[in-house]
Amino acid sequence: MFKFALLAFFALAFFACNPTEYEPRIVLGHEYNATAKVVADTTSVFKPKDIIVIQMDNGNRPFHSEEVELRIYQGETGDRILFKRSIPVKNVDAKAVAKGPDSKPLTAREILRTSTPGIYRVAFAVGDSILLYKKMELVE
């Protein structure tokens, strides 16, 4: 009886400590908390002069490549890429961040390469395969 109770306790502890998986997502915002490694002050609406931080959270599953590519498309449809940047990741990383250096953060105008108000799509890809995308809006 004691062995069964001990085994049940260890099984319960194992499943309680097992992190739950969650869906991959793209988070946009104005600030980045380097300590917590998350985007703070999240939003999907930016002015051209606003600082922009873009993070892909792969849902606590590591990337299985050496880099992911951030791509920005204009409009809700279409394949015209306005901006792309390779972001190096390790095979143990589950998050990729595009924010620019702390001394000169990226602005929405710099990353979109335009000040034209409208809808844009932010996507992350590995090779020809798009992993995830999210819509964002640029306003005046």
Side-chain angles (χ1 to χ4, degrees):
M1 177 71 176
F2 178 74
K3 289 181 183 178
F4 177 75
L6 188 61
L7 181 63
F9 173 76
F10 282 118
L12 181 64
F14 174 76
F15 289 114
C17 294
N18 189 13
T20 58
E21 288 193 16
Y22 52 94
E23 291 299 313
R25 61 191 174 143
I26 294 176
V27 184
L28 307 171
H30 296 290
E31 297 177 32
Y32 182 71
N33 183 333
T35 306
K37 296 184 179 180
V38 295
V39 174
D41 187 26
T42 60
T43 185
S44 291
V45 179
F46 295 89
K47 294 179 180 177
K49 292 183 180 180
D50 285 348
I51 293 172
I52 186 170
V53 179
I54 302 171
Q55 179 180 36
M56 180 180 174
D57 185 344
N58 203 29
N60 72 356
R61 283 172 261 158
F63 294 105
H64 296 292
S65 66
E66 294 180 4
E67 66 181 19
V68 294
E69 187 174 73
L70 167 66
R71 298 177 185 172
I72 307 291
Y73 298 92
Q74 187 170 12
E76 294 187 42
T77 60
D79 294 332
R80 183 173 166 248
I81 298 174
L82 295 176
F83 177 87
K84 72 178 167 178
R85 172 186 283 180
S86 293
I87 301 171
V89 292
K90 297 176 185 168
N91 60 0
V92 295
D93 289 343
K95 295 181 181 180
V97 179
K99 63 179 182 65
D102 291 337
S103 60
K104 187 178 181 326
L106 286 172
T107 64
R109 177 181 303 142
E110 291 170 335
I111 204 160
L112 296 176
R113 309 281 169 127
T114 184
S115 296
T116 307
I119 301 293
Y120 296 86
R121 287 178 296 145
V122 177
F124 280 87
V126 173
D128 291 335
S129 175
I130 293 181
L131 301 174
L132 199 58
Y133 78 92
K134 181 174 182 157
K135 294 179 188 175
M136 69 169 277
E137 184 177 3
L138 189 67
V139 296
E140 290 182 15

